[in-house]
Amino acid sequence: MTAFSLEPEQLAWCGQLRALAAQRLRPLAEKGEPGHVNRPLVAELGALGLLPRLFTSGALDLCLMRESLAHACTEAETALALQGLGAHPVHAHGTEAQRARWLPRVSDGTAVAAFALSEPAAGSDAAALTLRAEPDGGAGWRLTGEKCWISNAPEADLYTVFARTTPGAGARGVTAFLVPADRPGLTGTPLDMLSPHPIGALVFDAVPVSAADVLGEPDRGFRVAMGTLNLFRPSVGAFAVGMAQAALDATLAHTAARDAFGGKLRDLQAVSHQVAEMALRTEAARLMVYAAATAYDENAPDVPRRAAMAKLLATETAQYVVDRAVQLHGARALQRGHLLEHLYREVRAPRVYEGASEVQRGIIAKELYRTQDPTGEARA
């Protein structure tokens, strides 16, 4: 890992996290059932003090956690990230009662959180969501509709749910609700996905919610969603960088030891140049992730653009690096149980979730043009 912009204490902490992931988290991950929440793993993340840091750390620390865990145990990284994604709106926008009830349980790993934004017809176009929040007298609503591709569903204990409270208002008519999993009318089914972590669909059949369940303000839920995503998008990039680094490290070891054509694989220029390109792209992605996270921590005005750039570059880079690593390892990398077989399945989804690569390019372009004045000159 680069030392650029990081203090010695941060580098030491990253090393400790990688060791913890390998020694204490990976054995628990290996015992988990693919497609289901691994509650012992979540509880261990709490016992190690990592889950509480989700609510006390800045964006850079979140990136360092996710990158370090991903290098040794992608399941642990994902379990940590999903707790943060699902519960951050409660931390940032919840009432005293909401925070007191849920954040201690999320922090110690006894409650599993989920972020329920995507729908069958509103994935990348999140502002087009149609889950209805219909008035139910007084200060209450009934939620009716579906959510799909929701990580930790249907096994989570609480959901941050985004529903339409004002029809026809686009992003301005969405409200965020904290919905416990035991609410009447809320059901779900698991989805059989390429990624090994749990993903499911949710059905809301007139699920009751009240003003006490609102996160933030009515009709301003899209700000809750985008604020959460602006924080987590650079750290999705950090997850990708961790996977890319793991693939690069495996490739360095393999090409240095593998005999081929009268020498080692690394002696072939075609191989060594590919490894150099993998390292170059990984380091570039890492630096962009750190820059975006630092911008968030410093309340910079260009956070949406930087966050989008970091996620886009890092996830596309990880896909490239893992694919190259598989190619240089050959058929052994495609065997079930091989590190690269695992990474090959894990690396694809981050290019889609929390805003697909195409969405990130749209955000970047929009932000670039937004900062132009009428004469075409860039604003400072």
Side-chain angles (χ1 to χ4, degrees), residues 260-347:
F261 306 105
K264 301 297 183 184
L265 268 180
R266 69 180 181 187
D267 298 327
L268 300 174
Q269 188 180 75
V271 171
S272 62
H273 282 193
Q274 287 188 66
V275 173
E277 184 69 17
M278 292 161 68
L280 172 69
R281 296 194 189 194
T282 300
E283 187 69 1
R286 175 181 287 116
L287 295 176
M288 182 162 281
V289 165
Y290 290 177
T294 301
Y296 184 96
D297 288 339
E298 294 179 351
N299 294 313
D302 57 352
V303 166
R305 175 174 62 85
R306 286 184 176 274
M309 285 182 167
K311 180 184 186 291
L312 174 63
L313 180 65
T315 56
E316 296 285 341
T317 292
Q319 181 81 54
Y320 170 85
V321 171
V322 172
D323 183 76
R324 289 293 86 202
V326 169
Q327 193 70 19
L328 292 174
H329 276 74
R332 72 192 64 220
L334 301 177
Q335 278 188 284
R336 286 286 182 183
H338 193 283
L339 169 66
L340 291 174
E341 180 269 335
H342 173 77
L343 291 178
Y344 203 72
R345 286 184 289 114
E346 285 273 30
V347 79

Side-chain angles (χ1 to χ4, degrees), residues 55-369:
F55 310 115
T56 59
S57 298
L60 181 57
D61 274 358
L62 176 60
C63 287
L64 297 181
M65 279 198 289
R66 293 190 69 174
E67 179 185 343
S68 300
L69 292 179
H71 184 268
C73 183
T74 58
E75 296 91 340
E77 184 284 332
T78 301
L80 175 103
L82 294 180
Q83 288 290 84
L85 185 66
H88 179 266
V90 183
H91 166 70
H93 302 279
T95 64
E96 289 290 334
Q98 291 169 337
R99 290 161 57 90
R101 178 182 178 187
W102 290 110
L103 293 185
R105 294 184 58 199
V106 171
S107 296
D108 66 17
T110 58
V112 172
F115 185 82
L117 178 62
S118 295
E119 297 180 3
S124 294
D125 186 8
L129 62 85
T130 59
L131 178 71
R132 303 189 307 280
E134 299 170 321
D136 187 33
W141 297 266
R142 294 274 178 170
L143 303 182
T144 301
E146 298 179 42
K147 293 291 181 180
C148 198
W149 307 298
I150 307 303
S151 295
N152 281 344
E155 300 179 18
D157 300 301
L158 69 150
Y159 296 92
T160 294
V161 178
F162 298 88
R164 181 156 304 286
T165 40
T166 301
R172 301 188 181 190
V174 173
T175 299
F177 295 94
L178 194 169
V179 183
D182 59 2
R183 284 290 167 86
L186 176 56
T187 58
T189 55
L191 298 173
D192 188 9
M193 306 290 285
L194 178 67
S195 178
H197 77 266
I199 302 175
L202 299 171
V203 175
F204 296 78
D205 184 8
V207 174
V209 291
S210 71
D213 299 311
V214 173
L215 293 168
E217 300 176 51
D219 283 347
R220 299 200 170 206
F222 208 68
R223 292 185 181 182
V224 175
M226 292 303 104
T228 302
L229 293 175
N230 281 338
L231 169 61
F232 276 84
R233 274 175 177 156
S235 71
V236 174
F239 171 38
V241 168
M243 288 190 286
Q245 188 65 55
L248 174 60
D249 290 347
T251 302
L252 287 168
H254 174 71
T255 55
R258 174 73 167 171
D259 292 318
F261 306 105
K264 301 297 183 184
L265 268 180
R266 69 180 181 187
D267 298 327
L268 300 174
Q269 188 180 75
V271 171
S272 62
H273 282 193
Q274 287 188 66
V275 173
E277 184 69 17
M278 292 161 68
L280 172 69
R281 296 194 189 194
T282 300
E283 187 69 1
R286 175 181 287 116
L287 295 176
M288 182 162 281
V289 165
Y290 290 177
T294 301
Y296 184 96
D297 288 339
E298 294 179 351
N299 294 313
D302 57 352
V303 166
R305 175 174 62 85
R306 286 184 176 274
M309 285 182 167
K311 180 184 186 291
L312 174 63
L313 180 65
T315 56
E316 296 285 341
T317 292
Q319 181 81 54
Y320 170 85
V321 171
V322 172
D323 183 76
R324 289 293 86 202
V326 169
Q327 193 70 19
L328 292 174
H329 276 74
R332 72 192 64 220
L334 301 177
Q335 278 188 284
R336 286 286 182 183
H338 193 283
L339 169 66
L340 291 174
E341 180 269 335
H342 173 77
L343 291 178
Y344 203 72
R345 286 184 289 114
E346 285 273 30
V347 79
R348 188 59 183 86
R351 292 172 62 205
V352 174
Y353 64 61
E354 295 186 40
S357 292
E358 293 76 11
V359 170
Q360 305 310 319
R361 289 186 174 93
I363 292 171
I364 294 164
K366 179 181 177 181
E367 290 296 311
L368 288 171
Y369 286 115

